[in-house]
Amino acid sequence: MGWSLRTIADLSDSEFSAWSRLLEERAGIQLVPMQKSLLQSQLSIRMRELGYDDYSDYYSLVTDGLQGRLEWSILIDRVAVKETSFFRHRASFEYVRRYLQEKINNRQLSQSFDLWSVGCSTGEEPYSLAMVVNDCFELAQLEPYYGVTALDISSTALARGRLGRYLPRSLEQMTAEEAKRYTSVSNDGSYEIVRKLRDRICFTHGNVMQISEMPKVQMDVIFCQNLLVYFRRWLRRDILNSLVERIKPGGLLVIGLGESADWEHPLMKRVSNETVQAYIRQEYKKQ
């Protein structure tokens, strides 16, 4: 019988616990029992590809030396990629639009407008941000002097983002005008993001758990939606605190609505808008 047809036993509770601990220790991903079948599916697919039929044997491979690190990078690509779409939670993107428009109207842009999409997955989020920002610059008839850094742990997702091609269902929340201005239809029926947006985005590999170790490049906007929900409460707090250190005074932090509802920081003031969860970085005040 071929390995592709061979049945792999169900993941036991103890095996699920071991894999869950590994995912949390290395990537911060917290799995709940109801996600056991999802994890089993991803593990078994990869195990069949390699010819394994025992979860413990595969676990030993993933945790053993250089070969294990290489295998881990492949596995985490399968487990960590999130389902996403353009303009997911439109209200958050529209808040970024209003924030930038106000800066332009008040002549507060003296340098590049820099954004960071944290946990960018396959690129729909950073491209949505680029569309909003480009709209603002073109409306004001200004040279589009901006850049978006897109960070994710999955190399496969980042490669798809760099390619900039998407199936029609990914564009369902995009307006007809946005699709017309910022995409073109490829021969295979997919939609390709226009070059002027692709050139503005830098897709970067990184682990959100290691943000505190990354260079403290100051951003005007940090956008971190549908990511924190995967982490424990204390880790969400640590990640957000590290992000604050990378926001310019007056800069904007946007997270998923309700993802960390009780988070507070002395330098951050939550905006008065019930449709989004966003914060403005305050000027540091000496005592």
Side-chain angles (χ1 to χ4, degrees), residues 121-137:
S121 190
T122 47
E124 289 90 336
E125 179 177 285
Y127 283 127
S128 298
L129 288 169
M131 291 177 198
V132 165
V133 173
N134 194 77
D135 282 350
C136 292
F137 276 96

Side-chain angles (χ1 to χ4, degrees), residues 106-251:
N106 293 331
R107 301 181 183 277
Q108 294 176 333
L109 290 181
S110 59
Q111 53 189 335
S112 174
F113 189 76
D114 301 307
L115 304 93
W116 193 10
S117 170
V118 182
C120 68
S121 190
T122 47
E124 289 90 336
E125 179 177 285
Y127 283 127
S128 298
L129 288 169
M131 291 177 198
V132 165
V133 173
N134 194 77
D135 282 350
C136 292
F137 276 96
E138 289 191 353
L139 181 65
Q141 297 183 331
L142 295 175
E143 200 64 31
Y145 192 31
Y146 72 92
V148 184
T149 300
L151 179 81
D152 203 87
I153 196 173
S154 169
S155 298
T156 300
L158 292 169
R160 289 174 60 188
R162 292 187 188 101
L163 183 62
R165 288 191 177 186
Y166 299 92
L167 296 176
R169 69 170 182 269
S170 295
L171 279 64
E172 290 176 353
Q173 297 186 56
M174 195 184 294
T175 67
E177 178 65 19
E178 286 164 344
K180 179 181 178 181
R181 292 180 61 201
Y182 294 123
T183 70
S184 61
V185 182
S186 302
N187 293 333
D188 61 1
S190 64
Y191 287 77
E192 183 175 44
I193 303 298
V194 296
R195 171 63 66 181
K196 68 179 179 180
L197 291 193
R198 299 205 310 273
D199 288 346
R200 295 288 174 177
I201 299 178
C202 176
F203 287 93
T204 306
H205 183 269
N207 188 337
V208 71
M209 290 181 64
Q210 299 169 347
I211 281 181
S212 62
E213 302 171 15
M214 298 179 186
K216 292 183 180 179
V217 178
Q218 299 295 291
M219 296 286 171
D220 292 280
V221 176
I222 295 182
F223 205 90
C224 182
Q225 286 203 148
N226 310 306
L227 174 69
L228 296 173
V229 67
Y230 293 97
F231 303 109
R232 292 190 184 275
R233 183 175 174 181
W234 66 267
L235 189 50
R236 296 178 196 179
R237 182 195 65 232
D238 289 350
I239 291 170
L240 288 170
N241 290 345
S242 293
L243 291 178
V244 170
E245 298 175 359
R246 290 155 178 81
I247 302 176
K248 298 175 185 178

